[in-house]
Amino acid sequence: MADVRRREHVIVALLLALTVALAGPAAAEPTPPPGSTDGSSTGDGAKITITLEEIKEAAREAAASVGKPGPRWQYRTRINCTSGDADTGCGAAAAACTNGQFQAVVLRRMVDPDGTPVRGAQGQWTAWGVTCFPDRLPGNTLPSIAQIRQAFREVEFTKGGLSIQPVGNVTLVNLPTYFEATWPEAGIGPDEIDASALLGYRLEIQPTLQSLTYVYGDGNKSEPTTSLGGPHPAGDIRWTYKQPGQMATRVDTTYGGRFRLEGGPWMTIPDTVTVQGTPATLTVREAKARLYE
């Protein structure tokens, strides 16, 4: 009886082994894209091919080779613009990384201790790969998205003004009052260009009108709109006051923007700035009917 049981166990074991053999090796666990777990993203740009650890190791090796005999790698970076179109090319590079850096192509070549390129293919600039960490490499001169956003916030934006009808900034209770946004000469307004320098690059920022909010001064304001309003009777920004008083009216402007470096393609700035408009005091009076004999 014991022999029969042993034979049964042997047969079961052989069947299990045969099943595993026919099924083949177990499927490997899927691995995340390189760089996807260290603060970067593939975004809409090219796939990340150089991880943070590889960048750190390259930086360590570059630092250790300074002043020593023998050739060493030299690096430089450029924004990973995949096409000439701002939104599908360079715009993707601006949005592809989650750490505030441009998605960048890393170029490298081998040089002698004095900086002279070595002979042959290794002495020519060639693309090493794509990364979200160009700031960790020696030789990187790319601005970061954070620096672009800060420069955008520091633009001297135009403060919107108001033209009001009835004229003279005096209106009546229960009478529709018309508002129109105006742009004074001072400051940088929508579609104008502010030029400055950032890390040796010529940086141009062009504000764009995202929305306007009309503040009526009695505790009410409009919803954000792109309408500039207009005079009576066609203007679509109007308000009817219910109580007399002195109203501190204004129009607040929310600016978006785009930028470019060294005259390259325009790229969208992932930020907005709201600028409070110049107040205009509106007197609201109550008209009273009088009967004269």
Side-chain angles (χ1 to χ4, degrees):
M1 189 69 177
D3 291 339
V4 171
R5 287 177 180 164
R6 280 196 293 271
R7 284 197 296 271
E8 288 177 347
H9 288 312
V10 170
I11 291 170
V12 170
L14 289 172
L15 288 173
L16 287 173
L18 180 61
T19 302
V20 171
L22 292 174
E29 288 293 322
T31 56
S36 63
T37 60
D38 54 20
S40 62
S41 164
T42 55
D44 294 325
K47 186 175 181 179
I48 302 300
T49 59
I50 311 176
T51 65
L52 175 58
E53 286 307 314
E54 290 174 304
I55 292 290
K56 287 181 177 178
E57 181 60 28
R60 285 192 291 266
E61 290 179 355
S65 66
V66 174
K68 294 184 178 180
R72 58 184 173 84
W73 286 113
Q74 185 180 57
Y75 299 91
R76 71 182 184 188
T77 54
R78 62 175 173 80
I79 299 174
N80 185 32
C81 297
T82 55
S83 75
D85 183 88
D87 291 326
T88 60
C90 294
C97 299
T98 60
N99 60 348
Q101 300 294 318
F102 283 102
Q103 190 186 66
V105 174
V106 179
L107 306 174
R108 67 179 182 177
R109 66 179 179 180
M110 192 72 75
V111 297
D112 288 324
D114 63 357
T116 303
V118 300
R119 292 184 179 182
Q122 285 193 320
Q124 304 297 317
W125 286 113
T126 56
W128 180 28
V130 178
T131 186
C132 279
F133 301 94
D135 57 317
R136 304 296 186 96
L137 276 174
N140 173 66
T141 57
L142 293 183
S144 67
I145 296 297
Q147 289 171 316
I148 299 291
R149 293 175 66 180
Q150 184 60 35
F152 174 60
R153 295 188 191 107
E154 293 174 355
V155 170
E156 293 291 333
F157 295 101
T158 294
K159 296 181 178 181
L162 281 176
S163 175
I164 304 173
Q165 283 192 340
V167 297
N169 286 12
V170 177
T171 190
L172 297 175
V173 170
N174 297 325
L175 177 71
T177 301
Y178 290 75
F179 297 87
E180 182 177 6
T182 60
W183 306 107
E185 291 291 330
I188 305 297
D191 301 324
E192 296 180 339
I193 293 177
D194 178 73
S196 61
L198 179 61
L199 298 182
Y201 288 85
R202 175 179 170 82
L203 170 65
E204 294 175 272
I205 293 177
Q206 185 178 56
T208 58
L209 176 62
Q210 291 291 105
S211 66
L212 298 167
T213 300
Y214 295 83
V215 178
Y216 301 125
D218 62 349
N220 292 288
K221 60 184 179 181
S222 73
E223 294 294 325
T225 177
T226 56
S227 173
L228 299 179
H232 174 273
D236 61 342
I237 304 298
R238 49 186 178 269
W239 185 247
T240 300
Y241 293 91
K242 303 302 182 183
Q243 299 292 333
Q246 298 292 109
M247 309 300 174
T249 66
R250 68 176 193 272
V251 59
D252 296 341
T253 306
T254 297
Y255 289 98
R258 58 182 194 156
F259 74 97
R260 64 181 179 183
L261 295 168
E262 297 295 325
W266 286 102
M267 292 172 266
T268 300
I269 297 173
D271 203 355
T272 60
V273 172
T274 298
V275 178
Q276 192 174 101
T278 302
T281 301
L282 174 66
T283 300
V284 180
R285 293 175 178 168
E286 188 172 25
K288 296 182 179 180
R290 294 183 180 179
L291 180 63
Y292 292 93
E293 297 182 358

